[in-house]
Amino acid sequence: MKTINLKEKQSKFSKHWHPHQIAVVDNMQVLLAKLKGDFVWHAHENEDELFQVLKGTLYMQFRDRTEIVKEGEIIVVPKGVEHCPRTENDEVVEVLLFEKQSILHTGTVIDEKTQTEYPKI
């Protein structure tokens, strides 16, 4: 039971689209990530995902629209909904994620950006 300094944790990595685990709450993991450019279209069949933007602007693409998520805002992507996060103009966006520990990074999609393990920092 110690405080976690998000800025300090963010300074420990630079790789984009590679979440790092900073805490576990029951069966949920709390992750930090840095996003830049386009990710991959994917869905999580059995898990919801919560994105909180700590810095920058995230564009969460859905097949029928794009939601703009600004600093200090959150978006929840319900299970089974195909989505593709992206950033614009080479901006690095810092996010805090809440998701089940069982989640697969890119669902059933395998891509060069897919991570199979989240480092604990």
Side-chain angles (χ1 to χ4, degrees):
M1 294 188 306
K2 293 187 177 198
T3 61
I4 298 171
N5 185 300
L6 300 179
K7 287 184 181 183
E8 175 191 333
K9 296 292 186 183
Q10 283 281 26
S11 73
K12 293 183 180 253
F13 66 95
S14 59
K15 190 172 180 181
H16 303 132
W17 304 109
H18 193 178
H20 288 66
Q21 187 184 92
I22 61 168
V24 173
V25 180
D26 290 330
N27 69 339
M28 301 290 289
Q29 57 188 339
V30 182
L31 304 165
L32 286 177
K34 294 179 182 177
L35 317 178
K36 182 179 177 186
D38 292 320
F39 197 47
V40 296
W41 281 98
H42 67 286
H44 306 284
E45 290 307 313
N46 300 306
E47 300 95 359
D48 298 333
E49 268 186 304
L50 182 146
F51 292 76
Q52 178 183 2
V53 176
L54 302 174
K55 180 180 177 187
T57 302
L58 176 66
Y59 296 83
M60 186 62 73
Q61 300 174 105
F62 299 104
R63 289 299 183 182
D64 63 343
R65 70 186 188 287
T66 298
E67 289 290 328
I68 299 171
V69 190
K70 298 177 183 175
E71 199 168 303
E73 296 180 336
I74 66 169
I75 189 166
V76 175
V77 179
K79 60 179 87 37
V81 175
E82 195 174 19
H83 60 287
C84 181
R86 70 175 169 84
T87 71
E88 291 188 347
N89 303 318
D90 282 334
E91 180 180 32
V92 175
V93 176
E94 296 180 359
V95 295
L96 185 72
L97 302 157
F98 289 89
E99 53 192 37
K100 286 184 180 175
Q101 290 182 302
S102 61
I103 201 167
L104 298 175
H105 190 224
T106 53
T108 58
V109 175
I110 303 299
D111 183 85
E112 65 184 21
K113 293 180 182 171
T114 301
Q115 302 299 315
T116 57
E117 188 175 319
Y118 299 148
K120 295 176 179 162
I121 56 172

